[in-house]
Amino acid sequence: MEKLVVKGGCRLKGTARVSGAKNAVLPIIAASVLGMEQSTILEVPELEDVRTICKVLECLGLKVDMSVPHRLKIDSRKITSWEAPYELVSTMRASFLVMGSLLARVGRAKISQPGGCAIGTRPIDIHLKGFEALGAEIRQGHGYIEASAPHGLVGTTIYLDFPSVGATENLIMAASMAKGTTIIENAAQEPEIVDLANYVNVMGGKVRGAGTTSIRIDGVEAMKGGEHTVIPDRIEAGTYMVAGAMTHGDIVVDNVLCEHMKPLIAKLREAGAIVEENINSVHVVGPEQLKAITVKTLPYPGFPTDMQAQVMAMMCISKGQSSVLETVFENRFMHVDELLRMGADIRTNGGRAAIVEGVDKLYGCQVRATDLRAGAAMVLAGLVADGTTYITDIHHIDRGYENLVEKFTGLGATIQRITE
């Protein structure tokens, strides 16, 4: 079993470079199914989730070349299967994104029920209603979903009941080769949606309005290959920025698009940190004493749910009473019990709201990474704790952070991975 060992008390200083965005590269890889040629994707983070979705593509008959670090070549000229296997899809929810691209390309897809972090219900009914609106027939069996459109998909107007990121991405891919025009209303606005649309357009698609609540897709008959560079990971960047603020640090986070970070930057400044925005980087200087803040998670451009756990770790050592209202997922407080083990003072109400009273110290002990972002929160808490923190179940962290140990070590942290 592997663990992370974090010794507290280090003031972070230096520069950390952010990798390509996990939440952008996964749908982009899935969209490669649409092309009839070879595509090249750059700034690809070396993560377990990336390897998983590449295996899904290989099971569909595509050829995937990962021989060069941070570069992915995908040959999608031949598709030999329209079924994504259970053993892969069950481990990673983003595998479900191949349904839209398979429906568009071959008119059929069979996908196991998706898995991923147990952070709450993330129903796929929004995806399925959208596919049905485009003319697909949906059949659900024990543990799998099958969709077919033997005569092709037909463009229409789709209103999403909730601005789901995954549904917006899946429907962009499905509609990209549908007959006529599709308009997605109440669409998700995340930067990762824009990045996917840019990639689809490079391959010959016609997607307009990505990043707004209304996206227009004019279907095309066929797509080619393309080359695309993935945007920086705003959640990884945010994690290092919070670490700098928590440790009274003085750090530069490089390869950052600050316009994607506005809600977090505002909250860090409210907490007392100095945040200087540059063209491709951000400079964070932590205060001697952090101030209490209030956070409410919302779909983009609101405060990201994926930063809630990390910011709660910061609240634990902030002076005064902070609060969190989680509106996106109903089970995203699993890190609370682990923070309590370290001496935090947190009260929750129904899994959606939390009150955090700042304490003078956290104390190192053994904790679990209950999910991806909770694992990051444990690392941040360990950096400021008195003593040593041992973090187990770190496979969750590996799903979303490339070279986390090396990057934190480069900032002066005392952190290592051990095998027992």
PDB file of all heavy atoms in Angstrom, residues 141-161:
ATOM      1  N   GLY A 141     -30.084  -1.711 -19.585  1.00  0.00           N
ATOM      2  CA  GLY A 141     -30.110  -3.048 -19.038  1.00  0.00           C
ATOM      3  C   GLY A 141     -29.502  -3.071 -17.662  1.00  0.00           C
ATOM      4  O   GLY A 141     -29.370  -2.037 -17.001  1.00  0.00           O
ATOM      5  N   HIS A 142     -29.108  -4.251 -17.203  1.00  0.00           N
ATOM      6  CA  HIS A 142     -28.483  -4.384 -15.881  1.00  0.00           C
ATOM      7  C   HIS A 142     -27.030  -3.934 -15.971  1.00  0.00           C
ATOM      8  O   HIS A 142     -26.159  -4.663 -16.406  1.00  0.00           O
ATOM      9  CB  HIS A 142     -28.576  -5.821 -15.384  1.00  0.00           C
ATOM     10  CG  HIS A 142     -29.990  -6.282 -15.162  1.00  0.00           C
ATOM     11  ND1 HIS A 142     -30.779  -5.769 -14.156  1.00  0.00           N
ATOM     12  CD2 HIS A 142     -30.755  -7.178 -15.824  1.00  0.00           C
ATOM     13  CE1 HIS A 142     -31.968  -6.342 -14.197  1.00  0.00           C
ATOM     14  NE2 HIS A 142     -31.984  -7.197 -15.199  1.00  0.00           N
ATOM     15  N   GLY A 143     -26.801  -2.686 -15.549  1.00  0.00           N
ATOM     16  CA  GLY A 143     -25.436  -2.192 -15.488  1.00  0.00           C
ATOM     17  C   GLY A 143     -24.912  -1.580 -16.766  1.00  0.00           C
ATOM     18  O   GLY A 143     -23.733  -1.221 -16.834  1.00  0.00           O
ATOM     19  N   TYR A 144     -25.736  -1.433 -17.786  1.00  0.00           N
ATOM     20  CA  TYR A 144     -25.236  -0.824 -19.021  1.00  0.00           C
ATOM     21  C   TYR A 144     -26.332   0.011 -19.677  1.00  0.00           C
ATOM     22  O   TYR A 144     -27.513  -0.100 -19.366  1.00  0.00           O
ATOM     23  CB  TYR A 144     -24.733  -1.887 -19.992  1.00  0.00           C
ATOM     24  CG  TYR A 144     -25.832  -2.725 -20.620  1.00  0.00           C
ATOM     25  CD1 TYR A 144     -26.478  -2.313 -21.787  1.00  0.00           C
ATOM     26  CD2 TYR A 144     -26.240  -3.918 -20.026  1.00  0.00           C
ATOM     27  CE1 TYR A 144     -27.501  -3.065 -22.335  1.00  0.00           C
ATOM     28  CE2 TYR A 144     -27.260  -4.681 -20.583  1.00  0.00           C
ATOM     29  CZ  TYR A 144     -27.886  -4.240 -21.740  1.00  0.00           C
ATOM     30  OH  TYR A 144     -28.905  -4.973 -22.288  1.00  0.00           O
ATOM     31  N   ILE A 145     -25.904   0.871 -20.582  1.00  0.00           N
ATOM     32  CA  ILE A 145     -26.814   1.705 -21.368  1.00  0.00           C
ATOM     33  C   ILE A 145     -26.428   1.560 -22.833  1.00  0.00           C
ATOM     34  O   ILE A 145     -25.255   1.670 -23.190  1.00  0.00           O
ATOM     35  CB  ILE A 145     -26.721   3.184 -20.946  1.00  0.00           C
ATOM     36  CG1 ILE A 145     -27.117   3.347 -19.483  1.00  0.00           C
ATOM     37  CG2 ILE A 145     -27.601   4.060 -21.827  1.00  0.00           C
ATOM     38  CD1 ILE A 145     -26.685   4.644 -18.880  1.00  0.00           C
ATOM     39  N   GLU A 146     -27.417   1.314 -23.675  1.00  0.00           N
ATOM     40  CA  GLU A 146     -27.169   1.176 -25.107  1.00  0.00           C
ATOM     41  C   GLU A 146     -27.978   2.232 -25.852  1.00  0.00           C
ATOM     42  O   GLU A 146     -29.161   2.441 -25.578  1.00  0.00           O
ATOM     43  CB  GLU A 146     -27.553  -0.223 -25.584  1.00  0.00           C
ATOM     44  CG  GLU A 146     -27.149  -0.506 -27.019  1.00  0.00           C
ATOM     45  CD  GLU A 146     -27.341  -1.967 -27.404  1.00  0.00           C
ATOM     46  OE1 GLU A 146     -27.532  -2.796 -26.484  1.00  0.00           O
ATOM     47  OE2 GLU A 146     -27.299  -2.271 -28.606  1.00  0.00           O
ATOM     48  N   ALA A 147     -27.311   2.916 -26.782  1.00  0.00           N
ATOM     49  CA  ALA A 147     -27.974   3.935 -27.594  1.00  0.00           C
ATOM     50  C   ALA A 147     -27.725   3.628 -29.057  1.00  0.00           C
ATOM     51  O   ALA A 147     -26.637   3.173 -29.437  1.00  0.00           O
ATOM     52  CB  ALA A 147     -27.433   5.320 -27.257  1.00  0.00           C
ATOM     53  N   SER A 148     -28.738   3.880 -29.884  1.00  0.00           N
ATOM     54  CA  SER A 148     -28.575   3.629 -31.316  1.00  0.00           C
ATOM     55  C   SER A 148     -29.301   4.684 -32.118  1.00  0.00           C
ATOM     56  O   SER A 148     -30.356   5.192 -31.702  1.00  0.00           O
ATOM     57  CB  SER A 148     -29.099   2.232 -31.684  1.00  0.00           C
ATOM     58  OG  SER A 148     -30.477   2.124 -31.402  1.00  0.00           O
ATOM     59  N   ALA A 149     -28.728   5.017 -33.249  1.00  0.00           N
ATOM     60  CA  ALA A 149     -29.338   5.956 -34.190  1.00  0.00           C
ATOM     61  C   ALA A 149     -28.981   5.466 -35.591  1.00  0.00           C
ATOM     62  O   ALA A 149     -28.133   6.048 -36.270  1.00  0.00           O
ATOM     63  CB  ALA A 149     -28.829   7.366 -33.953  1.00  0.00           C
ATOM     64  N   PRO A 150     -29.608   4.370 -36.019  1.00  0.00           N
ATOM     65  CA  PRO A 150     -29.230   3.741 -37.292  1.00  0.00           C
ATOM     66  C   PRO A 150     -29.395   4.658 -38.499  1.00  0.00           C
ATOM     67  O   PRO A 150     -28.702   4.486 -39.504  1.00  0.00           O
ATOM     68  CB  PRO A 150     -30.165   2.531 -37.379  1.00  0.00           C
ATOM     69  CG  PRO A 150     -31.287   2.818 -36.432  1.00  0.00           C
ATOM     70  CD  PRO A 150     -30.703   3.647 -35.359  1.00  0.00           C
ATOM     71  N   HIS A 151     -30.285   5.628 -38.409  1.00  0.00           N
ATOM     72  CA  HIS A 151     -30.496   6.551 -39.526  1.00  0.00           C
ATOM     73  C   HIS A 151     -29.862   7.917 -39.263  1.00  0.00           C
ATOM     74  O   HIS A 151     -30.139   8.879 -39.973  1.00  0.00           O
ATOM     75  CB  HIS A 151     -31.999   6.707 -39.800  1.00  0.00           C
ATOM     76  CG  HIS A 151     -32.694   5.401 -40.038  1.00  0.00           C
ATOM     77  ND1 HIS A 151     -32.418   4.586 -41.112  1.00  0.00           N
ATOM     78  CD2 HIS A 151     -33.635   4.748 -39.304  1.00  0.00           C
ATOM     79  CE1 HIS A 151     -33.168   3.496 -41.048  1.00  0.00           C
ATOM     80  NE2 HIS A 151     -33.910   3.567 -39.953  1.00  0.00           N
ATOM     81  N   GLY A 152     -29.007   7.973 -38.249  1.00  0.00           N
ATOM     82  CA  GLY A 152     -28.328   9.222 -37.931  1.00  0.00           C
ATOM     83  C   GLY A 152     -29.096  10.078 -36.952  1.00  0.00           C
ATOM     84  O   GLY A 152     -30.301   9.897 -36.735  1.00  0.00           O
ATOM     85  N   LEU A 153     -28.392  11.007 -36.350  1.00  0.00           N
ATOM     86  CA  LEU A 153     -29.004  11.952 -35.417  1.00  0.00           C
ATOM     87  C   LEU A 153     -29.490  13.182 -36.179  1.00  0.00           C
ATOM     88  O   LEU A 153     -28.942  13.537 -37.225  1.00  0.00           O
ATOM     89  CB  LEU A 153     -27.991  12.351 -34.339  1.00  0.00           C
ATOM     90  CG  LEU A 153     -27.443  11.209 -33.475  1.00  0.00           C
ATOM     91  CD1 LEU A 153     -26.319  11.716 -32.580  1.00  0.00           C
ATOM     92  CD2 LEU A 153     -28.546  10.573 -32.640  1.00  0.00           C
ATOM     93  N   VAL A 154     -30.491  13.846 -35.620  1.00  0.00           N
ATOM     94  CA  VAL A 154     -31.077  15.021 -36.273  1.00  0.00           C
ATOM     95  C   VAL A 154     -31.064  16.184 -35.285  1.00  0.00           C
ATOM     96  O   VAL A 154     -31.516  16.051 -34.139  1.00  0.00           O
ATOM     97  CB  VAL A 154     -32.525  14.742 -36.729  1.00  0.00           C
ATOM     98  CG1 VAL A 154     -33.126  15.989 -37.387  1.00  0.00           C
ATOM     99  CG2 VAL A 154     -32.560  13.571 -37.695  1.00  0.00           C
ATOM    100  N   GLY A 155     -30.538  17.318 -35.739  1.00  0.00           N
ATOM    101  CA  GLY A 155     -30.419  18.487 -34.882  1.00  0.00           C
ATOM    102  C   GLY A 155     -31.750  18.990 -34.359  1.00  0.00           C
ATOM    103  O   GLY A 155     -32.786  18.879 -35.019  1.00  0.00           O
ATOM    104  N   THR A 156     -31.714  19.555 -33.161  1.00  0.00           N
ATOM    105  CA  THR A 156     -32.917  20.080 -32.523  1.00  0.00           C
ATOM    106  C   THR A 156     -32.490  21.059 -31.434  1.00  0.00           C
ATOM    107  O   THR A 156     -31.299  21.289 -31.220  1.00  0.00           O
ATOM    108  CB  THR A 156     -33.756  18.935 -31.916  1.00  0.00           C
ATOM    109  OG1 THR A 156     -34.992  19.461 -31.446  1.00  0.00           O
ATOM    110  CG2 THR A 156     -33.022  18.263 -30.755  1.00  0.00           C
ATOM    111  N   THR A 157     -33.441  21.624 -30.724  1.00  0.00           N
ATOM    112  CA  THR A 157     -33.149  22.477 -29.575  1.00  0.00           C
ATOM    113  C   THR A 157     -33.311  21.652 -28.301  1.00  0.00           C
ATOM    114  O   THR A 157     -34.333  20.994 -28.104  1.00  0.00           O
ATOM    115  CB  THR A 157     -34.083  23.697 -29.531  1.00  0.00           C
ATOM    116  OG1 THR A 157     -33.846  24.506 -30.691  1.00  0.00           O
ATOM    117  CG2 THR A 157     -33.807  24.545 -28.289  1.00  0.00           C
ATOM    118  N   ILE A 158     -32.288  21.682 -27.452  1.00  0.00           N
ATOM    119  CA  ILE A 158     -32.274  20.902 -26.213  1.00  0.00           C
ATOM    120  C   ILE A 158     -32.109  21.855 -25.038  1.00  0.00           C
ATOM    121  O   ILE A 158     -31.168  22.660 -25.012  1.00  0.00           O
ATOM    122  CB  ILE A 158     -31.117  19.881 -26.210  1.00  0.00           C
ATOM    123  CG1 ILE A 158     -31.223  18.940 -27.418  1.00  0.00           C
ATOM    124  CG2 ILE A 158     -31.082  19.098 -24.913  1.00  0.00           C
ATOM    125  CD1 ILE A 158     -29.983  18.094 -27.637  1.00  0.00           C
ATOM    126  N   TYR A 159     -33.017  21.778 -24.083  1.00  0.00           N
ATOM    127  CA  TYR A 159     -32.881  22.556 -22.851  1.00  0.00           C
ATOM    128  C   TYR A 159     -32.440  21.617 -21.737  1.00  0.00           C
ATOM    129  O   TYR A 159     -33.109  20.627 -21.445  1.00  0.00           O
ATOM    130  CB  TYR A 159     -34.207  23.230 -22.480  1.00  0.00           C
ATOM    131  CG  TYR A 159     -34.106  24.036 -21.201  1.00  0.00           C
ATOM    132  CD1 TYR A 159     -33.655  25.350 -21.229  1.00  0.00           C
ATOM    133  CD2 TYR A 159     -34.424  23.474 -19.964  1.00  0.00           C
ATOM    134  CE1 TYR A 159     -33.538  26.096 -20.066  1.00  0.00           C
ATOM    135  CE2 TYR A 159     -34.305  24.202 -18.792  1.00  0.00           C
ATOM    136  CZ  TYR A 159     -33.855  25.514 -18.845  1.00  0.00           C
ATOM    137  OH  TYR A 159     -33.713  26.236 -17.685  1.00  0.00           O
ATOM    138  N   LEU A 160     -31.303  21.925 -21.120  1.00  0.00           N
ATOM    139  CA  LEU A 160     -30.791  21.098 -20.023  1.00  0.00           C
ATOM    140  C   LEU A 160     -31.461  21.506 -18.715  1.00  0.00           C
ATOM    141  O   LEU A 160     -31.496  22.690 -18.367  1.00  0.00           O
ATOM    142  CB  LEU A 160     -29.269  21.252 -19.902  1.00  0.00           C
ATOM    143  CG  LEU A 160     -28.434  20.889 -21.133  1.00  0.00           C
ATOM    144  CD1 LEU A 160     -26.953  21.003 -20.809  1.00  0.00           C
ATOM    145  CD2 LEU A 160     -28.760  19.493 -21.625  1.00  0.00           C
ATOM    146  N   ASP A 161     -31.971  20.544 -17.980  1.00  0.00           N
ATOM    147  CA  ASP A 161     -32.601  20.824 -16.682  1.00  0.00           C
ATOM    148  C   ASP A 161     -31.610  21.403 -15.688  1.00  0.00           C
ATOM    149  O   ASP A 161     -31.991  22.142 -14.769  1.00  0.00           O
ATOM    150  CB  ASP A 161     -33.219  19.546 -16.107  1.00  0.00           C
ATOM    151  CG  ASP A 161     -34.372  19.031 -16.961  1.00  0.00           C
ATOM    152  OD1 ASP A 161     -35.025  19.857 -17.629  1.00  0.00           O
ATOM    153  OD2 ASP A 161     -34.607  17.807 -16.962  1.00  0.00           O
TER     154      ASP A 161
END
